[in-house]
Amino acid sequence: LHQSLQSYSNKQVPQGLALYDLSFGNDGKILPIFRNIKAMLSNVIDTIFGGRWFGIGKKPLQTLLASSLDSFTYIRRDRQNYFVDEFPSDEEFVKQLESVYDV
């Protein structure tokens, strides 16, 4: 049972954190000025084109989350430019969770 819970946590905790980040953003943290400008321009392009014409821009986040089969962690890492904090790798999650389960 212990190994089953650890295996489940290794898969689901990163997904939950990624979904939280995608839902709530930077929690009041501000991007550096040039990354902030780049993110705003990217948002404008995504809003206007939305990936529909000539592959310009990306789908809006809500559409992507509702229609994509990609994991939340993949989408969160793909949108790293919009976030201040780096999203942990799978190996980092495993190490963190192993410390919890080694108690």
Side-chain angles (χ1 to χ4, degrees), residues 12-29:
Q12 297 305 316
V13 168
Q15 296 294 326
L17 181 60
L19 184 57
Y20 178 87
D21 280 356
L22 291 168
S23 298
F24 296 106
N26 286 315
D27 288 334
K29 298 176 186 170

Side-chain angles (χ1 to χ4, degrees), residues 57-77:
K58 296 179 182 179
K59 291 181 181 179
L61 184 58
Q62 286 105 350
T63 303
L64 183 64
L65 293 174
S67 65
S68 175
L69 295 177
D70 293 333
S71 68
F72 296 137
T73 56
Y74 175 81
I75 295 170
R76 169 59 177 82
R77 288 181 181 127

